Amino acid sequence: MTRRFTSSQLLLLAASFLITLGSFAVLPYMSVLLHERLGLGLGAVGAVLAMASLVQFGGGVVGAALARRIGLRATMLVALAVRTAGFACFVPGLGRPWLAVVALFLVSAGAALYLPANKAHLVAGRPAAERPRLLAASGSAFNAGIALGPPAAAPFVLGEPGVLFGAVAVLFALVGVAHLLLPEVPDEPSEATRSGPAGWSAGAVPFAYTVLAVYVFMFFQHYLALYAIPRTSAGYYGVVLMGYALLLVVVQPLLADWTSKLPYARALRWGFGTLALGLATIATGGHWGIAAGAVLICLAEAVLFLRNDLAALERSPDPPATVFARQRLAAGLGASAAALLGGPLYATAERTSTASHFWLLAAAQAVTLPLLLQASLTTRPRKAPTPPAP
């Protein structure tokens, strides 16, 4: 029988949705606001966004350390206060570029502090069998916010951005007050992993596969618009993107139990294989190829990302907030690598009128890179056993 969510878990899931809804009402439009309204050059905009992303993903390690010192609830309260201040700073920052940049970094720092503590509180004290359902529900809440935030803000973001930023700041303040209702729980590993081995086998394998999974996946996120809009339309691309997010909201909880029972090696093969098939399908172009490829990649994300997080929790003796912070760092490294390497690759493909080859190359990487990583792990020299004492 499926256990019902507790009141604390429901509050955290609702907060995950509202926080992502508010964040994605603003953040997808930041490049436009910084460039067109505040007059920053595109080079400066790129540098600011890259640094903000680094803070958002890499700063989770600081959030985990803070959670160990002051607790999970207190860490979330600090994070929400920082994000509220960030969105509030955007209101006067609309006339002062330097203040808008400070506001963006405050928002990014708040996200870094909040997300590992949120997930750790969600699974705190729960048996391992409940973790897939809880993490899948958390992922669905986040993706629902991602799907609904941009279209909800579109009528206001350019015309009345001050009103939008003020409303988001109020939303975050209210969510922060609601967090006062949460009990304080210790950030401790479960009994199943408390005495597990440290070192490479404990956490670095899921970390490495997460880097690869996000790296290949972000080719889809970063460059689909450049490929799809000229071949279909901006409206069709928007429908595909929203459909993708909403499908993920539904599919991930449905597949959570099956995903958790898959042996890790089989889940990796299934996830990377489906990801490769989806990328290759996009290469066919046209409405049906792009839509079918997006569906396949959605299925791959639902399984691959959740299974990597579960494997990291299973293998590491560290507290959950530390594990989730490392997984976010892995995701940040993968996303940064995709942005740095994918841009020149796609530019070359466009210049030579072989854009479909870009997707085939991405599909080939989804197949070969995990195999290379597996081979390197298999052949990695092991420490020689200590000979018995005479």
Side-chain angles (χ1 to χ4, degrees):
M1 181 178 176
T2 302
R3 181 184 174 89
R4 292 182 178 180
F5 294 117
T6 65
S7 58
S8 295
Q9 290 165 349
L10 288 173
L11 192 156
L12 287 169
L13 293 173
S16 296
F17 168 71
L18 292 173
I19 287 170
T20 314
L21 178 71
S23 298
F24 276 80
V26 173
L27 296 181
Y29 302 103
M30 282 310 304
S31 59
V32 176
L33 289 170
L34 291 173
H35 178 57
E36 295 187 1
R37 188 176 181 97
L38 298 177
L40 294 183
L42 288 176
V45 170
V48 167
L49 294 179
M51 290 299 296
S53 296
L54 181 62
V55 169
Q56 182 170 341
F57 283 100
V61 177
V62 177
L66 185 63
R68 288 196 299 271
R69 180 171 293 274
I70 67 174
L72 295 172
R73 186 186 69 165
T75 299
M76 286 188 283
L77 289 171
V78 170
L80 289 168
V82 171
R83 295 201 89 184
T84 301
F87 283 113
C89 283
F90 270 121
V91 178
L94 292 172
R96 301 176 180 86
W98 67 269
L99 187 55
V101 172
V102 170
L104 178 60
F105 278 93
L106 286 174
V107 169
S108 299
L113 297 175
Y114 182 81
L115 291 170
N118 174 286
K119 285 189 173 182
H121 199 294
L122 192 65
V123 302
R126 309 315 310 166
E130 290 187 23
R131 286 176 171 176
R133 179 177 65 97
L134 292 170
L135 293 178
S138 176
S140 291
F142 276 104
N143 282 291
I146 291 172
L148 299 177
F156 311 101
V157 70
L158 295 179
E160 296 289 342
V163 173
L164 177 63
F165 285 122
V168 173
V170 171
L171 173 65
F172 271 81
L174 293 175
V175 171
V177 171
H179 277 62
L180 293 171
L181 301 175
L182 289 172
E184 185 57 87
V185 296
D187 183 30
E188 296 178 348
S190 68
E191 293 294 335
T193 59
R194 190 185 303 274
S195 59
W200 176 262
S201 62
V205 172
F207 182 94
Y209 279 114
T210 298
V211 172
L212 289 187
V214 175
Y215 164 70
V216 178
F217 170 77
M218 291 306 288
F219 284 111
F220 167 76
Q221 285 282 28
H222 285 326
Y223 305 108
L224 182 64
L226 295 174
Y227 181 78
I229 291 175
R231 290 161 178 80
T232 56
S233 68
Y236 183 79
Y237 169 73
V239 169
V240 168
L241 209 60
M242 181 176 288
Y244 180 97
L246 294 177
L247 179 62
L248 191 60
V249 169
V250 175
V251 165
Q252 193 164 53
L254 293 177
L255 295 180
D257 188 56
W258 176 75
T259 298
S260 68
K261 293 177 181 177
L262 275 179
Y264 188 37
R266 187 181 302 172
L268 291 172
R269 290 193 297 269
W270 193 96
F272 279 108
T274 306
L275 184 56
L277 183 59
L279 293 166
T281 303
I282 289 175
T284 63
H287 293 72
W288 287 109
I290 291 169
V295 170
L296 289 168
I297 293 171
C298 178
L299 295 175
E301 180 185 354
V303 172
L304 195 55
F305 290 9
L306 176 60
R307 193 64 186 88
N308 275 326
D309 280 352
L310 292 173
L313 284 171
E314 292 163 1
R315 296 175 178 223
S316 177
D318 294 316
T322 301
V323 174
F324 289 127
R326 281 201 297 255
Q327 288 297 99
R328 277 190 61 77
L329 177 60
L333 293 174
S336 299
L340 292 173
L341 299 177
L345 287 175
Y346 194 85
T348 301
E350 280 279 81
R351 190 167 54 249
T352 57
S353 301
T354 56
S356 61
H357 293 176
F358 170 84
W359 300 103
L360 295 177
L361 178 61
Q365 291 182 82
V367 173
T368 57
L369 291 179
L371 293 177
L372 292 174
L373 177 58
Q374 181 184 10
S376 70
L377 295 175
T378 303
T379 58
R380 186 173 180 270
R382 298 175 180 271
K383 184 178 178 180
T386 304

